[in-house]
Amino acid sequence: MFSIYHFFQSLTKDKSNFLTVKHLADYPFDEQLLSCKNKGIFPDLAIRVNPEKRRFTGGELIELKDSKSYTVSSFNSTIPTGKKKITKIISGQNSRIKQQMEAAGDDVYSLPIRDVYYLVRGKKRGNTKVCLVHGSFFETIKVEELISQSFSQVLEERINETGIKIPNDVKKLLSSILSEQENFRKVRSVEKASVKLRFRIMSEVKVEGNILNSKKYPDIKDNTLNFVLPYHSDKEKREIKKKATVVFKKKLKSSFQTFNIKHHFNGYFFVFQLSLT
């Protein structure tokens, strides 16, 4: 059986390594659970897809975020999101990620929408926090809206600087046109220019979205490993507990602290917490 729950369970077995490995990518991940493993491209890891998708579908995508402070490191390649279309990360038949997934036995397109998780590690004054957190913790508005509103701010600044008057409907149109991140990944070649240009979007976590911040999220203790999942109803919360009971069994009550935390922008998350020491 493959799922993000089973992946977290595997992390608990070698949890002390989080205190010692120099780079998070060097952690001895259980590769039997993985359909791909990469460096420098999204995703860093992916869970295998379960052929029989009942309670656990598998297929989750994971990005590693390592920091020498209690600040989540910046997102340089993709804006954080809770879900992602597999077609957005696979480009053509020769895609390295696609080839890895198929070699692992995945029917890649059988699960078109994938949940995204971030394995975040931060260090401060000899202490360590590790969180396997769903991407919705960082995606509190849709990526397209985030980009669009950001460009609206740039447009407003330039309008104020130049004094040019542009109708509001034109402003909205310009901002909406520039809302797809994929458009910025392409290298642009301009006639007679001796260089090519590529725009790159980077995103940084605000303090309200920094799960490592002790003042904003005091329940995420020093030297702990945390599994952080969103829920929007009692039914979703019960389903999280049922899945955890299936995977963690007796260890759920004997080893984990469980509690809720309230995101400052995005509702409630359920946390399974385990000491690293």
Side-chain angles (χ1 to χ4, degrees), residues 108-126:
V108 177
Y109 298 110
S110 67
L111 192 64
I113 306 295
R114 307 294 185 93
D115 278 292
V116 180
Y117 287 81
Y118 295 86
L119 182 59
V120 178
R121 181 177 69 166
K123 294 184 176 183
K124 185 177 181 180
R125 298 172 185 169

Side-chain angles (χ1 to χ4, degrees), residues 68-70 122-128 222-223:
K68 294 181 180 178
S69 68
Y70 276 177
K123 294 184 176 183
K124 185 177 181 180
R125 298 172 185 169
N127 295 309
T128 300
D222 289 338
N223 302 312

